[in-house]
Short mmCIF file of all heavy atoms in Angstrom, two decimals:
data_model
loop_
_atom_site.label_atom_id
_atom_site.label_comp_id
_atom_site.label_asym_id
_atom_site.label_seq_id
_atom_site.Cartn_x
_atom_site.Cartn_y
_atom_site.Cartn_z
N GLY A 371 -13.09 -20.62 2.48
CA GLY A 371 -12.30 -20.02 3.55
C GLY A 371 -11.65 -21.09 4.39
O GLY A 371 -12.24 -22.13 4.65
N ASP A 372 -10.40 -20.88 4.79
CA ASP A 372 -9.66 -21.81 5.64
C ASP A 372 -9.73 -23.24 5.10
O ASP A 372 -10.06 -24.17 5.82
CB ASP A 372 -10.22 -21.77 7.08
CG ASP A 372 -10.15 -20.36 7.64
OD1 ASP A 372 -9.08 -19.75 7.55
OD2 ASP A 372 -11.18 -19.85 8.14
N SER A 373 -9.43 -23.37 3.83
CA SER A 373 -9.54 -24.72 3.26
C SER A 373 -8.37 -25.11 2.38
O SER A 373 -7.53 -24.28 2.04
CB SER A 373 -10.86 -24.86 2.49
OG SER A 373 -11.05 -23.75 1.65
N GLU A 374 -8.33 -26.42 2.10
CA GLU A 374 -7.34 -26.96 1.15
C GLU A 374 -8.13 -27.70 0.10
O GLU A 374 -8.88 -28.62 0.42
CB GLU A 374 -6.41 -27.95 1.86
CG GLU A 374 -5.39 -27.28 2.75
CD GLU A 374 -4.70 -28.28 3.67
OE1 GLU A 374 -4.63 -29.48 3.32
OE2 GLU A 374 -4.25 -27.84 4.75
N ILE A 375 -7.95 -27.29 -1.14
CA ILE A 375 -8.70 -27.91 -2.22
C ILE A 375 -7.68 -28.69 -3.06
O ILE A 375 -6.77 -28.09 -3.65
CB ILE A 375 -9.38 -26.83 -3.10
CG1 ILE A 375 -10.17 -25.82 -2.23
CG2 ILE A 375 -10.26 -27.46 -4.16
CD1 ILE A 375 -11.31 -26.38 -1.44
N THR A 387 -17.96 -22.85 2.17
CA THR A 387 -17.33 -23.50 3.31
C THR A 387 -17.81 -22.74 4.55
O THR A 387 -17.67 -21.52 4.64
CB THR A 387 -15.79 -23.42 3.22
OG1 THR A 387 -15.42 -22.06 3.03
CG2 THR A 387 -15.24 -24.28 2.12
N CYS A 388 -18.41 -23.46 5.49
CA CYS A 388 -18.91 -22.83 6.72
C CYS A 388 -17.77 -22.93 7.73
O CYS A 388 -17.67 -23.90 8.47
CB CYS A 388 -20.16 -23.54 7.21
SG CYS A 388 -21.39 -23.70 5.89
N ASN A 389 -16.88 -21.94 7.69
CA ASN A 389 -15.62 -22.05 8.42
C ASN A 389 -15.66 -21.39 9.79
O ASN A 389 -14.70 -21.48 10.55
CB ASN A 389 -14.48 -21.42 7.60
CG ASN A 389 -14.72 -19.95 7.34
OD1 ASN A 389 -15.86 -19.52 7.13
ND2 ASN A 389 -13.67 -19.16 7.36
N ALA A 396 -12.60 -23.10 11.52
CA ALA A 396 -12.21 -24.50 11.33
C ALA A 396 -11.92 -24.75 9.85
O ALA A 396 -12.33 -23.98 8.98
CB ALA A 396 -13.33 -25.41 11.82
N LYS A 397 -11.22 -25.86 9.61
CA LYS A 397 -10.72 -26.13 8.26
C LYS A 397 -11.57 -27.11 7.45
O LYS A 397 -12.13 -28.07 8.00
CB LYS A 397 -9.31 -26.72 8.33
CG LYS A 397 -8.26 -25.70 8.72
CD LYS A 397 -6.87 -26.11 8.27
CE LYS A 397 -6.69 -25.78 6.78
NZ LYS A 397 -5.29 -25.87 6.35
N THR A 398 -11.60 -26.89 6.17
CA THR A 398 -12.22 -27.82 5.23
C THR A 398 -11.11 -28.37 4.35
O THR A 398 -10.35 -27.59 3.78
CB THR A 398 -13.25 -27.07 4.34
OG1 THR A 398 -14.21 -26.47 5.20
CG2 THR A 398 -13.93 -28.01 3.36
N ILE A 399 -11.02 -29.71 4.30
CA ILE A 399 -9.93 -30.29 3.52
C ILE A 399 -10.49 -31.22 2.45
O ILE A 399 -11.25 -32.15 2.74
CB ILE A 399 -8.94 -31.04 4.43
CG1 ILE A 399 -8.30 -30.02 5.40
CG2 ILE A 399 -7.86 -31.75 3.61
CD1 ILE A 399 -7.42 -30.61 6.45
N LEU A 400 -10.14 -30.94 1.20
CA LEU A 400 -10.57 -31.76 0.09
C LEU A 400 -9.36 -32.41 -0.56
O LEU A 400 -8.35 -31.73 -0.80
CB LEU A 400 -11.26 -30.90 -0.98
CG LEU A 400 -12.78 -30.70 -0.88
CD1 LEU A 400 -13.15 -30.02 0.43
CD2 LEU A 400 -13.28 -29.89 -2.05
N LEU A 412 -20.32 -26.88 3.19
CA LEU A 412 -19.35 -27.80 3.78
C LEU A 412 -19.07 -27.27 5.19
O LEU A 412 -18.41 -26.23 5.35
CB LEU A 412 -18.06 -27.83 2.95
CG LEU A 412 -18.27 -28.07 1.44
CD1 LEU A 412 -16.94 -28.02 0.69
CD2 LEU A 412 -18.99 -29.40 1.18
N VAL A 413 -19.61 -27.94 6.20
CA VAL A 413 -19.53 -27.42 7.56
C VAL A 413 -18.23 -27.91 8.21
O VAL A 413 -18.08 -29.08 8.52
CB VAL A 413 -20.77 -27.83 8.39
CG1 VAL A 413 -20.69 -27.23 9.79
CG2 VAL A 413 -22.05 -27.39 7.68
N ALA A 414 -17.30 -26.96 8.41
CA ALA A 414 -15.97 -27.30 8.94
C ALA A 414 -16.03 -27.48 10.45
O ALA A 414 -16.89 -26.89 11.11
CB ALA A 414 -14.99 -26.20 8.56
N PRO A 415 -15.15 -28.32 11.04
CA PRO A 415 -14.09 -29.05 10.36
C PRO A 415 -14.62 -30.27 9.62
O PRO A 415 -15.40 -31.05 10.18
CB PRO A 415 -13.16 -29.47 11.50
CG PRO A 415 -14.06 -29.57 12.70
CD PRO A 415 -15.12 -28.53 12.50
N VAL A 416 -14.18 -30.41 8.39
CA VAL A 416 -14.63 -31.55 7.61
C VAL A 416 -13.59 -31.90 6.55
O VAL A 416 -12.90 -31.02 6.04
CB VAL A 416 -16.03 -31.26 6.99
CG1 VAL A 416 -15.95 -30.24 5.86
CG2 VAL A 416 -16.71 -32.53 6.50
N THR A 417 -13.48 -33.21 6.28
CA THR A 417 -12.52 -33.68 5.28
C THR A 417 -13.27 -34.51 4.24
O THR A 417 -14.07 -35.38 4.59
CB THR A 417 -11.43 -34.56 5.94
OG1 THR A 417 -10.75 -33.76 6.90
CG2 THR A 417 -10.43 -35.10 4.93
N ILE A 418 -12.99 -34.23 2.99
CA ILE A 418 -13.59 -35.01 1.90
C ILE A 418 -12.43 -35.62 1.12
O ILE A 418 -11.62 -34.88 0.56
CB ILE A 418 -14.49 -34.12 1.02
CG1 ILE A 418 -15.60 -33.51 1.91
CG2 ILE A 418 -15.08 -34.92 -0.14
CD1 ILE A 418 -16.41 -32.42 1.26
#
Side-chain angles (χ1 to χ4, degrees):
D372 302 310
S373 47
E374 285 167 26
I375 310 297
T387 53
C388 308
N389 61 324
K397 288 203 80 167
T398 302
I399 297 174
L400 270 60
L412 310 177
V413 182
V416 72
T417 299
I418 301 170

